[in-house]
Amino acid sequence: MPKPKNKNLPFKNKLERIRKEIAAFINQFFAPIVFLLVVVILVGGYFFIIRVQYANLVKSRDVDLTGLEKEITKLNQELVLFSQYVKEDVGFTDKDRELLSRALPDKFDFPSIVVQFTALAQKYDVEVLSINIKENLKDEAYWPQNPALKKVNINVGVFVENYDKWRRFIKALESSVMVFDVQSISFSSASNYSLDVAAYYYQP
Amino acid sequence: MEKINLLPEDFRQKDTKDQQKIAKRPKIFEVQFSGPPASQRPDLTSDKPRQSWWQRVFGSGPAKPSKANQGSKQKPVSASLDIKTPRVEKINLKKSAKPAKAGQPKSFWANIFGRANLPTLAQEPKSLANHSPLPMAPKAEPSQAGRLIWKEDKLPVGPTVVPPPAEPMVKNSPPALGSIKPSAKVDKQATGRGYRSRPPRFSKPEQQKTKHRQAASSGKIGFDINLIPEELVSIKYYSIRWQVFIIFLAVTLPCLVIYGFYFIINGEQAKINNKINAYHQELTTMREDLSVYKEKQNQNIGLQRKLLALSWVLKEKIYWSNFFNLLEKHTLDGVYYRTLAADTSGDFVLPAVADSYQTMAEQIVALEQAPDFVKTVKVDGARLMSSAKAGVVGVMFDLKISLSDDILKKQQP
C-alpha cells in the first residue's frame, strides 16, 4: 500500500538510512570493532597508566631506594668511624679546658687582662702606674696558619723598688697562665720601668 | 501488471545504470534457433552487458536456458527473434506460484561462491491474455513455477516469442514463497537465542538491520520478500543484547587487566614506598647520632686548633729573664748599667759605667768572650764621669750589643 506522503520524509529517510548504514556497518564489522576496542583500551591503558606507573616504580626502585641504600651504607661507615673516634678519649678534662681558656681566651677580654696583670704585679711588689691596651686589629693574621689567633698590645708603666723585684716580676710574667709576651723593656731611672707586653686570644 | 523490483536500492540504481547502458547498444539481433549443433551455437549470453557484482552473485539479467529449454532448442526450429536487451521486468508473485526447482543441489561453498541468479518468476503479460492460457504448472512440477517474459520496453507489441516454461535458471533458487516462514520463527529456529540472521525475513520494518532488508522494505510492495539464498542468510550476527554484552566485556575485561597490572605495580610501589619511609627514618636516626658525633668532633677539632695556636704562641714567646740572667752573668763587678731600652730585635745600646778604664776593657772582653750571649760588642764613646762631691766616679761608655740568636726565646730552666 502506498504510504501517505510526508514532507519530512526525505530527511527522515535519510537519517534512517544513515542510522541503518551505521547499524549495518557495525553488524558487518562487529568482531573487528570489538577487537579494535580491546586493543585500543589495552594499548591506551598501557601507555597512559601502566607505563607511567611502571616508570614511577622503576624510578623509585632504582633512584630513590638505591640512593637511600647507598646513603645508609655511607652513614653506617661514618658511624663506625666516629664511634671508634669517640671511644679514644683525648684525655682533656674540664679543668684543662678552663686552664686553656685562661691561657688563651676565646675573645678579647680587657678586664681579665687588667685583673691578671695587676694581680701579678701586686704579688711581686710592683706598682702598676699605667696600662694602655690596644687591640692589634691590623695584625689579624698574626699566625697565618690560624687566623683565629689574635694579638693584643699592652703598654704598662710600673714602679719597682729594685732590680731584684723587677727580675722576679719579669719571670712571673713569663710564667703566668695567661700568655704575656714582653716585647720590649725600657727603664730610664732607677725605679720606673716601661713594658710593652703582648697578650693573645683565640677567636674562631 | 504491477512492477516489482526486489533488488535493494543501491543495486537497483546500479541496475538502472546498467539498463541505461544496455539501452544505448543496438537492440536488435538475431538468434538462430536452427543452425549449428549446440556445441557450436553462438552464446547469446556473450552479448550480455557487463554485469555488476550483485548481478553476478544473485543474477538479475536473463536467465540461462534451462535443460528443458535446451532440449527444446535442439528441435529444428527456424525463427528470428527481435529482442531488446532481455531483462526481467515484472514479477507477479502469487502464493499459489511454486518456485522452480533449482536443478541439482549444490554444496554449501558452491552456493556461497557459485554464480547465483535471481529467480525470475513471471506471469503472462496482458498482451498474451488473448492467447490460449498456459496451463498452470502443477505443484509437483516446479519447473513450471514461473516463466521468463522477454519484453521490449519501447515496442508496443509484446514479445514475439514466449519461451516455453522452463526450469528456473538459477543455481540457487530460494525456497518457494509459500514455504517461507515468518522471520521471527525462522530466527528462533535457525539461529538460536544469541544470534539473529541477516536479514530477518518477514520481520517488522523496525527490525530490519541490513541493506538488503532495507531495500526490500523500501519497495513499494506491501509485503516483504527475501530472495537471498538460505546459505547466505545463514551468516549470523549477534543480537543487540549480545552486542552490548560483548562490548561491555570488551571494555570491562581489558580494563580489569589494566587494573590488575596497575594494582600489582601499585602494590610494588607501596612496598618500595614503605621501604623508602623506613630508610628515611633510619637515616634520620643515623644523622642524629652522627650530628652528636660531629659536634664532638668539631669541639675536638677546635680544641686541637687552639692547642696548636697556644703551642705556637709559647714557641714564639720572649723570655727576658734569660737575657737578664746572662747579662748578670757576663757583667763584671764595678760595672753597672744606667738605662735599658731593649726590644725583641736583639740589637740595643747599654749605657754602662765602669770603675775604671781597666774595668771597662775587661767588661768588653768578657762580653766578647760570651758567644752564648752576644754576637758582637761595640763600645762607643768612653769618658770619665765625675761629680763635684765625689770627684771622678767612673768611666761612662755605651755598649752596642747584638744578642745571639734565640737568647730571648730560650726559657730559663
Side-chain angles (χ1 to χ4, degrees):
Chain A
M1 287 181 66
K3 295 181 179 178
K5 291 185 178 179
N6 191 350
K7 291 182 179 178
N8 296 327
L9 196 56
F11 180 68
K12 287 183 178 178
N13 283 342
K14 193 174 182 182
L15 286 180
E16 185 69 15
R17 187 178 170 187
I18 292 172
R19 188 187 68 78
K20 286 180 178 177
E21 283 179 355
I22 293 172
F25 178 79
I26 293 174
N27 274 334
Q28 190 174 359
F29 299 103
F30 181 71
I33 286 172
V34 169
F35 177 75
L36 197 63
L37 182 65
V38 171
V39 169
V40 166
I41 292 174
L42 287 175
V43 171
Y46 170 74
F47 277 103
F48 292 104
I49 298 174
I50 302 296
R51 194 180 176 196
V52 175
Q53 192 71 11
Y54 187 72
N56 290 335
L57 175 71
V58 170
K59 177 182 172 296
S60 300
R61 185 186 60 198
D62 294 345
V63 179
D64 299 339
L65 198 61
T66 310
L68 284 175
E69 287 174 351
K70 287 181 180 176
E71 193 172 358
I72 283 177
T73 306
K74 182 182 175 185
L75 285 181
N76 267 326
Q77 294 174 351
E78 288 185 5
L79 274 176
V80 171
L81 289 175
F82 273 113
S83 61
Q84 292 175 354
Y85 174 76
V86 170
K87 282 180 183 176
E88 295 176 358
D89 192 6
V90 293
F92 213 77
T93 62
D94 293 338
K95 190 177 178 180
D96 297 331
R97 290 180 191 279
E98 184 184 354
L99 194 63
L100 180 63
S101 84
R102 283 174 61 192
L104 199 61
D106 294 332
K107 60 182 180 180
F108 173 62
D109 192 3
F110 179 77
S112 175
I113 293 173
V114 171
V115 167
Q116 288 205 39
F117 198 87
T118 53
L120 197 65
Q122 190 176 4
K123 185 177 179 181
Y124 292 95
D125 291 333
V126 174
E127 188 176 350
V128 178
L129 299 176
S130 63
I131 296 180
N132 292 319
I133 298 178
K134 182 181 179 182
E135 188 177 5
N136 191 2
L137 297 176
K138 293 181 181 178
D139 201 9
E140 287 183 354
Y142 174 65
W143 186 31
Q145 295 180 7
N146 196 344
L149 183 63
K150 305 289 174 57
K151 182 180 178 183
V152 178
N153 292 323
I154 307 169
N155 181 262
V156 184
V158 295
F159 175 79
V160 185
E161 292 180 353
N162 50 45
Y163 172 76
D164 190 37
K165 286 184 180 179
W166 163 253
R167 210 184 60 170
R168 284 189 293 164
F169 175 68
I170 290 295
K171 193 168 182 69
L173 274 179
E174 290 172 353
S175 59
S176 70
V177 176
M178 178 177 269
V179 179
F180 289 112
D181 206 0
V182 179
Q183 301 291 317
S184 64
I185 299 172
S186 64
F187 60 90
S188 57
S189 62
S191 302
N192 293 332
Y193 290 81
S194 176
L195 295 173
D196 286 332
V197 181
Y200 305 92
Y201 65 94
Y202 186 85
Q203 189 175 27
Chain B
M1 188 175 180
E2 189 177 355
K3 286 186 176 181
I4 297 174
N5 193 343
L6 299 177
L7 292 174
E9 185 66 27
D10 297 337
F11 295 103
R12 204 186 309 162
Q13 291 176 1
K14 203 169 186 180
D15 194 23
T16 306
K17 289 180 182 176
D18 291 336
Q19 288 176 9
Q20 289 175 357
K21 287 182 182 175
I22 293 166
K24 293 177 183 176
R25 297 184 180 181
K27 296 178 180 177
I28 297 175
F29 61 92
E30 284 187 4
V31 177
Q32 303 245 343
F33 284 97
S34 65
S39 60
Q40 299 176 359
R41 203 177 299 153
D43 189 6
L44 290 177
T45 57
S46 61
D47 282 336
K48 285 195 299 183
R50 186 179 181 184
Q51 290 179 330
S52 64
W53 178 84
W54 179 261
Q55 286 172 326
R56 286 199 301 273
V57 172
F58 296 100
S60 62
K64 293 179 181 176
S66 63
K67 291 179 180 177
N69 234 351
Q70 290 175 0
S72 65
K73 284 180 182 176
Q74 291 175 356
K75 294 177 181 179
V77 175
S78 173
S80 64
L81 177 61
D82 293 338
I83 300 176
K84 284 184 66 177
T85 304
R87 62 168 186 154
V88 175
E89 282 294 327
K90 296 179 181 178
I91 297 175
N92 188 6
L93 294 174
K94 287 184 179 179
K95 288 187 178 179
S96 61
K98 296 296 181 182
K101 195 173 182 179
Q104 294 299 324
K106 300 291 184 180
S107 67
F108 173 76
W109 296 106
N111 284 333
I112 290 180
F113 298 108
R115 185 170 181 174
N117 291 323
L118 189 70
T120 55
L121 301 176
Q123 205 178 18
E124 289 179 345
K126 287 179 182 179
S127 60
L128 298 176
N130 295 329
H131 295 273
S132 59
L134 293 170
M136 293 297 292
K139 290 182 181 179
E141 296 178 359
S143 62
Q144 297 177 357
R147 288 183 299 163
L148 177 66
I149 302 299
W150 304 82
K151 184 189 174 188
E152 298 176 5
D153 287 339
K154 294 179 180 177
L155 294 175
V157 295
T160 55
V161 174
V162 176
E167 290 182 353
M169 288 155 281
V170 294
K171 292 179 179 177
N172 305 317
S173 64
L177 290 174
S179 64
I180 295 174
K181 295 178 181 179
S183 62
K185 292 179 181 177
V186 172
D187 287 342
K188 285 182 181 179
Q189 292 173 359
T191 63
R193 192 175 179 181
Y195 298 93
R196 62 184 171 86
S197 301
R198 190 194 71 166
R201 291 170 293 176
F202 295 101
S203 59
K204 293 180 181 179
E206 58 269 16
Q207 294 174 346
Q208 297 166 357
K209 302 297 182 186
T210 64
K211 289 191 282 188
H212 312 295
R213 174 54 60 197
Q214 182 186 355
S217 64
S218 62
K220 294 178 180 178
I221 58 175
F223 52 89
D224 200 0
I225 297 173
N226 186 359
L227 298 177
I228 297 175
E230 184 67 25
E231 290 78 5
L232 295 178
V233 170
S234 65
I235 299 172
K236 295 173 182 178
Y237 291 102
Y238 293 105
S239 66
I240 293 295
R241 289 182 180 178
W242 272 102
Q243 284 183 355
V244 171
F245 180 68
I246 289 171
I247 289 174
F248 174 75
L249 286 181
V251 172
T252 307
L253 288 179
C255 287
L256 283 176
V257 170
I258 290 171
Y259 179 74
F261 280 108
Y262 177 81
F263 185 77
I264 293 170
I265 294 173
N266 209 21
E268 292 295 321
Q269 181 78 44
K271 287 179 184 176
I272 291 175
N273 286 340
N274 290 334
K275 242 180 186 178
I276 288 174
N277 290 334
Y279 282 164
H280 275 300
Q281 290 180 354
E282 190 177 354
L283 274 177
T284 305
T285 308
M286 294 172 76
R287 281 174 182 152
E288 287 176 356
D289 296 342
L290 271 179
S291 66
V292 174
Y293 288 140
K294 283 189 176 178
E295 187 179 357
K296 202 163 187 175
Q297 183 194 29
N298 290 333
Q299 288 177 357
N300 290 338
I301 289 173
L303 177 64
Q304 184 184 11
R305 288 189 174 187
K306 195 172 182 177
L307 288 172
L308 286 174
L310 182 62
S311 70
W312 187 83
V313 168
L314 293 176
K315 183 182 175 185
E316 298 293 323
K317 188 176 173 63
I318 304 298
Y319 295 97
W320 284 99
S321 56
N322 192 28
F323 165 76
F324 287 113
N325 289 335
L326 290 174
L327 185 61
E328 289 179 12
K329 180 181 175 183
H330 295 288
T331 301
L332 301 175
D333 293 336
V335 178
Y336 66 92
Y337 304 102
R338 294 178 293 164
T339 59
L340 175 66
D343 56 10
T344 54
S345 62
D347 297 329
F348 50 91
V349 177
L350 274 176
V353 177
D355 295 342
S356 60
Y357 285 104
Q358 181 68 30
T359 307
M360 181 191 72
E362 289 176 356
Q363 181 61 54
I364 291 170
V365 171
L367 289 175
E368 285 176 351
Q369 292 177 353
D372 57 335
F373 180 49
V374 293
K375 286 192 292 187
T376 58
V377 179
K378 291 181 179 177
V379 177
D380 189 12
R383 61 188 180 278
L384 287 174
M385 187 177 71
S386 60
S387 64
K389 292 181 181 178
V392 176
V393 179
V395 179
M396 295 176 58
F397 61 98
D398 294 335
L399 285 173
K400 290 184 179 178
I401 295 175
S402 177
L403 296 176
S404 298
D405 296 335
D406 299 334
I407 289 293
L408 298 178
K409 292 185 180 180
K410 289 180 180 175
Q411 187 176 10
Q412 185 67 22

